[in-house]
Amino acid sequence: MSLIMGTAQASDVGVFYYPGWTKPGVSDSWEKIRPYKEREPLLGWYKEGSDAVTKTQISWWKEYGVDYVAYDWYWGKGTGTSHRTFAIDSFIKNSKDSGVEFTLLWANHTDTPVSYSDFDDVVDYWIRHYFNVPNYKKINGMPVVFIFSSDLLKRDAQKFGATPKELLNRARDAAKRAGFKGIYFVGSAQPNKQQLLVELPEQAYDALSAYNYQYASGQDISKRSLSNDYKELTAGYLQNWKFIIENSKLPYIVPVSSGWDDSPWGGSTPKTHDMSVSTPKTFAEHLSEAKSLLISNPEKTPYGVIVCCWNEFGEGSYVEPTKKFGFKYLEQIKKAFKD
């Protein structure tokens, strides 16, 4: 569903999910987050992928209007999926008849694929493990896959003489052979005219979005500084949204952010960028701007918004209930897009 013709009709809401809280061989996956008491989940320092945790998260998504979850999905060089599928596997097991869908964000910053065969293995894994699941998200009848970095896919394809267009169409052909209509690829978009007008359409993406943006607004969109607070960060988002909608013919799944503070992972440079943190009130204002954008551009934004993130506790981007804020972030999402 979408916001249409200036009316307040409910819009699709997705959340990106970081599957980093159960790691084989690591005794405490939360070790670096624990000193930041305000980030402690309402569920405590939970074991990701456990049935109890997953069932609770699904119930919250359903109650607060999250339509789908886009799981960060990794393919390591020589290791395949490694340990990163616990959360997805548990969701598939526990989400039947929940009404909540799931999809993948291919986190393609692992220097893969390294060959046509490697890429075929990636796509084959999607087809065999995910696409046949009844609540896998589809657009126009095609299973959806987000690409974390369109630029990295281009770089890695060039290493073995391929192009993004060739690989995406190769994946679509494999999906069709398996009985699907194709694959609906969502590329990562930056406010760059060459990328928006030429590169991404030529690379055969179906739509655009982004995992997150980092910059404040500025007169020269190509020379902006990293944000120093959440107000600057969201002003940069608004500038990006408008630029991309004005300069691209592809549909845009509008990315929104709960903030940025990378301190647990070592911090940003400059450090002031880690002050880009929200409150439920300022997050609500950001969502209101996104809602207005959807209402004003229904043809360009038919698939709603996607939130960064459900649980990026290391980067300070999370809406999962915490002991500090409880359900206040989810309440703002529901109020903005569902009530």
Side-chain angles (χ1 to χ4, degrees):
M1 299 179 359
S2 61
L3 291 151
I4 298 174
M5 300 302 291
T7 64
Q9 192 172 340
S11 176
D12 276 354
V13 175
V15 293
F16 289 121
Y17 186 112
Y18 170 67
W21 309 117
T22 295
K23 298 177 181 178
V26 177
S27 59
D28 184 6
S29 299
W30 295 95
E31 181 180 6
K32 291 185 178 181
I33 313 300
R34 288 178 186 272
Y36 299 84
K37 300 298 184 182
E38 76 282 0
R39 304 190 190 197
E40 183 176 357
L42 192 60
L43 292 172
W45 308 110
Y46 55 77
K47 182 179 180 180
E48 186 173 67
S50 71
D51 287 346
V53 167
T54 303
K55 288 177 181 178
T56 300
Q57 291 175 332
I58 291 169
S59 71
W60 290 343
W61 295 330
K62 186 172 182 178
E63 180 177 358
Y64 289 96
V66 174
D67 298 290
Y68 68 96
V69 183
Y71 287 95
D72 298 2
W73 186 88
Y74 300 81
W75 187 263
K77 188 182 294 185
T79 61
T81 59
S82 188
H83 63 271
R84 296 282 193 164
T85 65
F86 293 123
I88 307 177
D89 296 342
S90 182
F91 177 86
I92 293 171
K93 177 183 176 182
N94 291 288
S95 64
K96 183 180 179 181
D97 300 324
S98 68
V100 180
E101 298 180 316
F102 80 104
T103 184
L104 306 177
L105 168 88
W106 181 15
N108 65 316
H109 47 76
T110 58
D111 295 322
T112 57
V114 297
S115 65
Y116 286 110
S117 177
D118 192 30
F119 181 75
D120 290 344
D121 288 344
V122 168
V123 176
D124 181 64
Y125 196 99
W126 299 343
I127 292 171
R128 289 188 295 109
H129 289 84
Y130 304 128
F131 289 177
N132 271 320
V133 178
N135 57 331
Y136 191 92
K137 181 174 178 60
K138 295 181 174 66
I139 292 178
N140 299 335
M142 294 177 284
V144 175
V145 174
F146 288 79
I147 303 295
F148 173 75
S149 174
S150 303
D151 289 340
L152 288 179
L153 182 60
K154 178 182 177 181
R155 182 203 69 182
D156 292 331
Q158 288 175 337
K159 291 178 181 178
F160 56 94
T163 66
K165 180 178 181 179
E166 181 183 8
L167 294 183
L168 297 188
N169 285 334
R170 186 182 182 96
R172 292 182 176 108
D173 289 342
K176 289 175 183 177
R177 288 194 298 271
F180 300 96
K181 293 180 67 175
I183 301 176
Y184 193 95
F185 280 109
V186 183
S188 57
Q190 298 294 327
N192 178 293
K193 282 191 176 182
Q194 175 68 15
Q195 185 193 55
L196 296 170
L197 294 173
V198 181
E199 293 180 8
L200 294 175
E202 287 185 351
Q203 291 170 13
Y205 287 98
D206 298 289
L208 306 176
S209 192
Y211 195 68
N212 56 27
Y213 296 127
Q214 301 290 326
Y215 293 91
S217 62
Q219 288 188 340
D220 186 340
I221 205 164
S222 67
K223 298 180 180 180
R224 296 176 298 167
S225 300
L226 293 172
S227 63
N228 296 301
D229 57 39
Y230 188 68
K231 183 177 181 180
E232 289 186 356
L233 182 72
T234 55
Y237 265 76
L238 182 59
Q239 187 175 30
N240 289 357
W241 296 339
K242 292 180 176 179
F243 187 96
I244 290 169
I245 285 174
E246 289 172 1
N247 289 282
S248 174
K249 294 182 180 180
L250 296 176
Y252 187 42
I253 300 175
V254 179
V256 299
S257 173
S258 58
W260 178 267
D261 178 359
D262 197 45
S263 297
W265 294 156
S268 302
T269 302
K271 180 60 180 173
T272 52
H273 183 41
D274 288 331
M275 298 172 64
S276 303
V277 294
S278 68
T279 65
K281 182 178 183 296
T282 56
F283 181 60
E285 293 167 355
H286 178 48
L287 297 184
S288 179
E289 291 179 331
K291 181 176 180 178
S292 295
L293 186 87
L294 299 184
I295 292 172
S296 301
N297 301 275
E299 294 183 357
K300 289 287 188 72
T301 61
Y303 307 120
V305 301
I306 188 161
V307 182
C308 184
C309 297
W310 176 254
N311 61 345
E312 278 274 18
F313 291 105
E315 295 181 353
S317 300
Y318 52 90
V319 296
E320 180 172 6
T322 59
K323 292 185 176 179
K324 178 177 181 179
F325 286 117
F327 293 90
K328 291 182 180 179
Y329 279 86
L330 293 183
E331 289 168 357
Q332 299 307 326
I333 290 172
K334 184 176 181 181
K335 182 178 179 181
F337 300 112
K338 300 298 178 178
D339 289 348

